[in-house]
Amino acid sequence: MGVSFVRISTLSAMVSASVVAVLSLPAHALPNDGVDLAIDAQSGTEIIVTGKIDGYRTEKTSSATKTNTPLIDVPQAITVLTREQIDDQAIRSVADLVRYVPGLSAGQGEGNRDQITLRGNNSTADFFVDGLRDDVQYFRGFYNVDRVEVLKGPNATIFGRGGGGGVFNRVTKGPIIGTNSAVGEITGDTFGSWAATGDVNLDLGGAAFRLNSFYEELDSHRDFYEGARYAVNPVIGTELAGGIKLQLGYERVGDTRVTDRGVPSFAGRPLAGFRDTFFGVPGVNSTPFEANVVRARIEAPLTDHLTVNGQLLYGDYNKSYANAFPATAVTVNTLGVRELVVEAYFDLTQRENFIAQGNAEWRASTGGIDHVVLFGGEYTRQDSGNERRNGFFNPAAQLTAANRRRMVALSDPFVIPSFTFIAGRDGDANRHTRSELSQGSVYLQDQISIGDHVDVIAGVRYDRLDLVVNNLFTRERFQRSDDLWSPRFGLVLKPIVNASLYGSYTRSYLPQSGDQFLSLTPALTALVPERFDNYEIGVKWDVTPALQTTLAIYQLDRTNTRATGPRPGEIVPTGSQRSKGVEFGLTGNLTKRWQTSLGYAYTEAEITSTTAAARQGQQVAQVPRHQFSLWNRYQLLDRLGVGVGLYHQADQFTTISNDVTLPAYTRLDLALFVKLTDRIDAQINVENVTNTTYFPVAHNDFNISTGAPTNARFTLRARF
C-alpha cells in the first residue's frame, strides 16, 4: 500500500550521507560577490523590515510565525528563493520557480492561471503577498519581489483557511530611507518575447518612495501563442517619532494572453509529434486580466517589549477567459483516422477583496524562560460574481450536452468547427452566480525559549466562515457556516547554536465549496470541511553563516477530500489521501565564489479510502515520486561568472484516474554572467540545452502542456 516511515527514514539517511562531503566545510563567514539593489540598500532604513538577504541565503522570516524569527528556529520546512537567485536563473513565472522548491510542482491551470501542488495537495488559492491572501486566479510576476517563501505543510494558524499542503508567499520590496538608487533591466529570448523592468528608490528626507514597474511581450514555441502584460507598484513609507512606521502602496496589473491548454493524450501518454500545435481557436482562446490593489501597513513599538502592527488590503479584480480545447483523448476510428472530441466555454469572474489584519507582539522573560507572544485577528470579505457560457456548435438546435461536443479529425494545424458562446439558463451546464464570503479570525501563539537549547512554539486559531452563493438563474440561495479550530505545536532542540532538530504537528481546514468559493450545492452544504493533519520531523544546520542545509520527513493526512477528475470541469470525491515524503535542501555559498541551490524531494501521495470515483492505492495527480534540482553559479573571474542548472522530475499521473502518465524527464540549463562595467551587467540563460522533449504539467487527462525546446534569454541590467 505504500512505503513506510522506516523506508522514508532510510532514504533520508542516504540523502544525508550523499552530501556529507559538501557539508564538511569550515564554519566561517563567506562574503558574497554579486550584490544587488536589495543588499546595497541595507545601509539605509527599510520602512518595513522583511529580513536581510545575502545572496541565495536568507537568515530570518516573519511569514512563518508573524514574528521576526531565524529560519533555524522555525519547526517547519521552508524554501526561500531570493531576488538574486530569481535574477540569476531568469525566472519569469511561478511555473519556472517551483522547479527549485522540493515537494512543490506546477499545474497547467487551464492555461489561464497559476496552479500548484504542494505535498500532494492541489490549489489555485494558497498564494499570499506579504502575508495577506492573494487567491484570485491569474499569472503572478516577480518584478517587485524581494524574495519568495514557500512554507510547507498546513499553515492555518498563521494564514487561515486552506494552505493544506503549504503556502506560496511573495515578499515585496519596500521603500528605503537614506538611499537614492535605480535599477533598469531589458531582457528578451529567442522565441521573440521581451520585457523591460524598472526599480527606483528615492529618499525624501524622513520618508522614501519606491516605484517598481514592468512591461512584457509574450511569445513561446507554441503556434499562435502571444500576449502582453504589465504592472506598476508605487509605494511610499515614512518613519515617525517613536519608531512608528507607515507604508502605503498601490499596484495595477494587466495581463492578456492566449489561453493554451496544450496537447491531448493518446494511448495513456501525451500526444507525440504535436509539440507546437495549438489545439484551440486563434482569436478566440484568450484570457484578459486586470487588477487594482491598495495595501497599507503600520508598525508601532508601544513599549520596549510590546509592538503592534496592522495591514489593510483592498483589491478589485476582473478576469475572463475563453477557450476551445480537447475534451477527450485521441482515438482511432474504424477507418484508421485519429480523432478527438472538442468543447468550448467562456468564463467571467469579478471580485472584490477586503482584508484587515492586526497583531500585537509581546516579548518577555519569566523565570529564565523567554516568550514571544503573538495575539492577532483578521477580517476578510470576498464578493465574487461568476458566469460560465458554454459553446454550442449548432446554436439553432437544442442547447444540450451533445450540442457542446464535436468529434474532430486530428490534423496539423488543428481546426475546430465554428461554435457560439451562449449565455443564460437554457444552455446546458451554464452558470451565473454571486457569492459572498466573510471570515473573522483570532489567533494566539507563544514562542518559548527555555535556555539556549530548547524552543517550543504553540498556537491556535479560530476562524468563522460564512458563505452565501446565489444562483442568478434559479434564484436559489445556498449558505453554509463553518467554525474552524486550527492548532500548531512544535518542539525545537538546539544541541549547538547553528543546528536544530524539530518535530511539529499542524492542522488546517478548507470548507467544501472549492478554494475559490464560487459555487455551492445542497450536497456541499451538508459536507464537513476538508481537514489536513501534518506530522513532521526535521533537521536544520547552518553549516556556515552563508550556507544552510535542511532535511524534513513528514506525513500529511487529508480527509473529506475531492480532486480534479479525468474530464474537463469534473470534480470527484476521493474520501481521504495520505502524503508521505522526504525533502532535502542546501542553499548558500560553498566558497567565496560559488553559490548553490540544491533540492530533492521524495513524495508518495495516494488515496487511502475507496469511493465511487477513486480506489484505495491510486496515486494522487501530478505528484512526481522523485524531484531533483541543482543550480550553481560560479564566479570564474571578478567580471565573469557561469551558471549550471539541472532539474529531474519522475513520471506522474495527470489525474486521479491514473490513466495518463507524464513521462519522467531531465532538463539542463546553462548561464553566463558578464560584468561589463561597475554598473552594467549582462547575462545569457540557455534553457533545455540538450533539446529534451518533455511534458512538464497538465490540467487533466486531455490537456497537457509541452516543454519548450532549446532557447536562450538575454538580459542587460544597469544600476545607478
Side-chain angles (χ1 to χ4, degrees):
M1 176 181 165
V3 300
S4 66
F5 257 137
V6 174
R7 285 174 58 191
I8 291 178
S9 299
T10 302
L11 178 60
S12 67
M14 294 171 60
V15 173
S16 300
S18 68
V19 295
V20 165
V22 175
L23 302 182
S24 300
L25 298 173
H28 59 272
L30 299 173
N32 176 45
D33 290 330
V35 179
D36 65 9
L37 174 65
I39 301 173
D40 289 338
Q42 297 299 326
S43 59
T45 300
E46 194 167 8
I47 297 302
I48 301 299
V49 177
T50 57
K52 183 178 182 296
I53 294 178
D54 186 14
Y56 294 176
R57 164 91 163 92
T58 297
E59 297 179 14
K60 296 184 178 183
T61 176
S62 59
S63 301
T65 60
K66 289 193 184 294
T67 64
N68 199 22
T69 304
L71 287 171
I72 199 171
D73 294 337
V74 179
Q76 177 181 16
I78 302 173
T79 299
V80 180
L81 271 74
T82 65
R83 177 79 254 171
E84 185 170 344
Q85 184 175 348
I86 291 171
D87 286 342
D88 282 355
Q89 294 181 255
I91 292 173
R92 310 294 298 179
S93 68
V94 169
D96 288 339
L97 185 140
V98 302
R99 289 197 301 269
Y100 291 89
V101 180
L104 177 61
S105 58
Q108 183 194 90
E110 297 180 279
N112 69 75
R113 62 179 181 265
D114 290 326
Q115 191 157 349
I116 56 175
T117 298
L118 219 172
R119 289 187 171 176
N121 295 276
N122 184 275
S123 178
T124 67
D126 292 328
F127 296 93
F128 291 78
V129 175
D130 297 327
L132 295 181
R133 191 173 294 276
D134 178 42
D135 61 355
V136 179
Q137 295 180 338
Y138 70 108
F139 289 106
R140 292 155 181 82
F142 302 118
Y143 76 103
N144 63 342
V145 166
D146 189 58
R147 66 180 182 271
V148 173
E149 301 175 335
V150 180
L151 295 84
K152 318 290 183 64
N155 284 269
T157 303
I158 296 299
F159 291 94
R161 69 177 190 269
V167 300
F168 187 104
N169 183 49
R170 292 178 293 157
V171 180
T172 60
K173 302 173 185 178
I176 303 166
I177 295 176
T179 297
N180 289 298
S181 56
V183 176
E185 177 182 291
I186 297 176
T187 181
D189 67 22
T190 50
F191 292 133
S193 69
W194 64 271
T197 306
D199 179 0
V200 178
N201 189 89
L202 300 176
D203 176 47
L204 303 178
F209 173 79
R210 193 163 190 172
L211 176 65
N212 283 273
S213 59
F214 90 107
Y215 177 82
E216 182 173 17
E217 291 278 352
L218 302 169
D219 206 342
S220 77
H221 67 289
R222 299 281 292 162
D223 294 341
F224 303 109
Y225 184 81
E226 62 181 0
R229 62 176 180 165
Y230 69 91
V232 59
N233 181 205
V235 184
I236 190 167
T238 186
E239 184 168 354
L240 307 177
I244 299 174
K245 299 175 182 178
L246 301 173
Q247 185 169 296
L248 177 65
Y250 164 73
E251 183 177 23
R252 180 175 176 84
V253 179
D255 188 330
T256 300
R257 65 180 72 194
V258 170
T259 307
D260 183 7
R261 294 174 68 152
V263 302
S265 60
F266 177 64
R269 290 289 191 273
L271 178 66
F274 289 78
R275 185 196 62 189
D276 301 338
T277 305
F278 181 53
F279 284 82
V281 178
V284 174
N285 283 53
S286 178
T287 174
F289 171 79
E290 184 180 278
N292 293 278
V293 184
V294 177
R295 300 183 183 92
R297 180 175 171 90
I298 182 171
E299 191 176 284
L302 301 183
T303 70
D304 291 340
H305 303 285
L306 180 63
T307 301
V308 296
N309 64 69
Q311 293 192 85
L312 295 174
L313 179 148
Y314 171 76
D316 180 71
Y317 311 90
N318 289 275
K319 177 190 173 182
S320 66
Y321 63 94
N323 60 153
F325 56 93
T328 67
V330 174
T331 58
V332 181
N333 65 21
T334 55
L335 299 177
V337 176
R338 291 193 293 178
E339 57 187 8
L340 67 154
V341 172
V342 295
E343 293 184 8
Y345 71 90
F346 172 85
D347 189 277
L348 172 66
T349 299
Q350 298 173 307
R351 177 173 296 173
E352 287 185 283
N353 281 354
F354 174 77
I355 304 173
Q357 183 186 102
N359 301 286
E361 179 185 325
W362 178 59
R363 296 178 179 264
S365 297
T366 57
I369 299 176
D370 296 330
H371 295 266
V372 180
V373 179
L374 175 77
F375 175 74
E378 183 175 284
Y379 174 77
T380 299
R381 173 81 178 191
Q382 177 178 301
D383 295 328
S384 302
N386 178 254
E387 182 180 5
R388 175 170 172 143
R389 305 171 188 171
N390 280 304
F392 295 89
F393 289 91
N394 185 356
Q398 287 188 318
L399 305 181
T400 61
N403 197 352
R404 293 196 291 114
R405 299 165 67 89
R406 278 291 182 273
M407 183 71 76
V408 180
L410 179 64
S411 61
D412 188 7
F414 185 68
V415 179
I416 295 178
S418 62
F419 57 86
T420 303
F421 293 124
I422 297 179
R425 62 183 300 172
D426 294 334
D428 176 74
N430 281 0
R431 179 179 65 239
H432 196 186
T433 64
R434 295 290 306 182
S435 62
E436 300 173 358
L437 172 71
S438 61
Q439 175 181 341
S441 312
V442 291
Y443 43 88
L444 178 66
Q445 174 184 270
D446 192 4
Q447 295 170 257
I448 305 168
S449 297
I450 306 172
D452 296 328
H453 302 289
V454 179
D455 291 340
V456 176
I457 181 170
V460 65
R461 179 180 181 123
Y462 167 74
D463 290 294
R464 168 74 179 194
L465 282 86
D466 293 293
L467 175 64
V468 177
V469 177
N470 294 286
N471 186 324
L472 300 185
F473 288 157
T474 65
R475 303 302 175 183
E476 292 178 290
R477 176 185 173 93
F478 302 103
Q479 182 174 359
R480 69 173 295 150
S481 297
D482 293 282
D483 297 286
L484 309 176
W485 291 90
S486 305
R488 79 181 296 182
F489 178 82
L491 174 65
V492 181
L493 304 178
K494 301 180 70 174
I496 55 177
V497 67
N498 63 326
S500 65
L501 309 173
Y502 71 85
S504 66
Y505 166 76
T506 54
R507 178 187 295 172
S508 182
Y509 290 97
L510 180 65
Q512 293 279 8
S513 49
D515 57 12
Q516 293 295 317
F517 299 98
L518 295 176
S519 63
L520 202 57
T521 65
L524 290 178
T525 60
L527 295 177
V528 298
E530 295 186 69
R531 173 172 159 174
F532 308 80
D533 291 278
N534 188 74
Y535 307 86
E536 184 173 329
I537 58 175
V539 180
K540 298 184 180 183
W541 180 23
D542 291 343
V543 185
T544 74
L547 181 67
Q548 183 183 68
T549 183
T550 61
L551 176 69
I553 305 172
Y554 69 90
Q555 177 176 294
L556 173 56
D557 293 321
R558 180 178 182 178
T559 56
N560 310 314
T561 189
R562 300 180 299 154
T564 300
R567 290 178 291 276
E570 183 181 36
I571 301 296
V572 297
T574 56
S576 60
Q577 71 178 57
R578 170 170 290 175
S579 303
K580 296 190 291 188
V582 177
E583 295 165 354
F584 173 80
L586 176 70
T587 306
N589 286 78
L590 292 172
T591 70
K592 179 179 178 180
R593 292 181 175 270
W594 185 1
Q595 293 192 87
T596 191
S597 173
L598 182 152
Y600 170 76
Y602 174 87
T603 310
E604 183 177 283
E606 64 180 29
I607 301 303
T608 54
S609 63
T610 299
T611 68
R615 300 185 307 273
Q616 184 173 336
Q618 281 183 292
Q619 300 300 299
V620 175
Q622 302 199 55
V623 182
R625 187 67 59 93
H626 300 277
Q627 288 174 289
F628 175 82
S629 64
L630 176 63
W631 169 261
N632 291 284
R633 172 172 173 163
Y634 189 81
Q635 203 67 25
L636 296 171
L637 304 169
D638 289 344
R639 293 185 178 272
L640 180 65
V642 294
V644 179
L646 186 68
Y647 178 74
H648 172 76
Q649 179 174 290
D651 58 15
Q652 58 181 319
F653 293 114
T654 54
T655 71
I656 201 69
S657 73
N658 289 189
D659 290 336
V660 179
T661 301
L662 300 185
Y665 71 92
T666 301
R667 199 183 94 171
L668 175 67
D669 300 336
L670 298 176
L672 180 69
F673 306 94
V674 181
K675 197 169 191 61
L676 301 177
T677 72
D678 290 342
R679 296 183 178 274
I680 301 176
D681 299 332
Q683 72 183 67
I684 303 173
N685 294 80
V686 183
E687 298 180 347
N688 194 11
V689 174
T690 59
N691 202 29
T692 297
T693 297
Y694 67 102
F695 301 88
V697 298
H699 178 64
N700 52 39
D701 286 350
F702 317 129
N703 303 146
I704 302 168
S705 294
T706 62
T710 302
N711 64 94
R713 176 169 291 276
F714 305 89
T715 303
L716 193 66
R717 186 178 298 113
R719 297 177 174 84
F720 304 96

